[in-house]
Amino acid sequence: AYALLNPFWGWMADKVSSKLVIMIGAFLLGLGFLLLGPVPGLGLEFSYSLCVVSVVIAGVGLGAQLVAAFSEAQRSVVASGFPDNLTTYAMVSSIWTSAFALGAFVGPTAAGALYDAVGFPWSTMFTVGWNAAVCVAALCSLLGMGVCKMNRENQYVLLEGGNVESAISAKETDKLTAEVQAILSQTDRYQSL
């Protein structure tokens, strides 16, 4: 399940939004672990078929998160000013792989301690909680990107009382700025005479 949809997740991350894919993956991974326990209070009893379905859901979510997170890391590093070359890709790949390996060590160690402390069904809530946090963070990032795009297109929305219809667009703003600069430069020339 992990590798089955990875080409699709890669296409989605490249063509649509890697943050959206991370959000979907976090939701699916959290849902898979919620059902894997199953967490007490859901009214579900543990069964082999529920375990298989939940592991498949978690695997699909994990694949989405891993593919999109790697894609987002590469894109963010280049956007931050690093050169778009093989050295940068190798650096991102090595840091990402090291972080993944650290998680592969710390995760089972912490899960063992949680299992001893609260049992398996409740210990899955740790993973559910972290994935809920990632899902909310990705959603906030997506909403923030939408607000930033709207503000770039309609720079004076807030100054005009929030009325998008009466707001001055960025193109109109650039045109007005150029006209004001032309008038100021002519005024400077006349004052120097």
Side-chain angles (χ1 to χ4, degrees), residues 20-122:
L20 178 64
V21 175
I22 290 170
M23 186 179 77
I24 293 168
F27 175 78
L28 291 174
L29 189 56
L31 178 65
F33 270 88
L34 191 69
L35 298 174
L36 183 62
V39 173
L42 291 180
L44 297 172
E45 292 296 322
F46 177 80
S47 68
Y48 180 74
S49 58
L50 180 63
C51 182
V52 169
V53 168
S54 62
V55 168
V56 168
I57 292 170
V60 170
L62 179 65
Q65 278 189 321
L66 293 179
V67 169
F70 187 74
S71 173
E72 182 66 23
Q74 284 187 329
R75 200 169 312 156
S76 295
V77 166
V78 171
S80 296
F82 283 85
D84 189 7
N85 60 23
L86 191 58
T87 304
T88 301
Y89 294 153
M91 178 193 64
V92 170
S93 179
S94 62
I95 291 171
W96 192 88
T97 304
S98 297
F100 185 79
L102 179 65
F105 167 73
V106 172
T109 305
L114 279 170
Y115 175 79
D116 289 342
V118 296
F120 183 73
W122 282 110

Side-chain angles (χ1 to χ4, degrees), residues 119-141:
F120 183 73
W122 282 110
S123 66
T124 58
M125 281 303 293
F126 181 76
T127 305
V128 172
W130 274 111
N131 280 287
V134 168
C135 191
V136 168
L139 178 64
C140 290
S141 178

Side-chain angles (χ1 to χ4, degrees), residues 117-188:
V118 296
F120 183 73
W122 282 110
S123 66
T124 58
M125 281 303 293
F126 181 76
T127 305
V128 172
W130 274 111
N131 280 287
V134 168
C135 191
V136 168
L139 178 64
C140 290
S141 178
L142 284 169
L143 291 174
M145 286 173 36
V147 168
C148 289
K149 284 181 182 176
M150 186 195 76
N151 284 342
R152 263 187 256 124
E153 292 168 3
N154 302 300
Q155 291 181 3
Y156 295 104
V157 170
L158 296 177
L159 296 176
E160 296 288 333
N163 187 352
V164 176
E165 287 82 19
S166 66
I168 300 173
S169 71
K171 289 180 183 176
E172 292 171 329
T173 303
D174 292 342
K175 183 179 174 185
L176 288 173
T177 303
E179 290 174 4
V180 168
Q181 287 174 345
I183 292 170
L184 289 175
S185 66
Q186 288 175 358
T187 304
D188 288 341

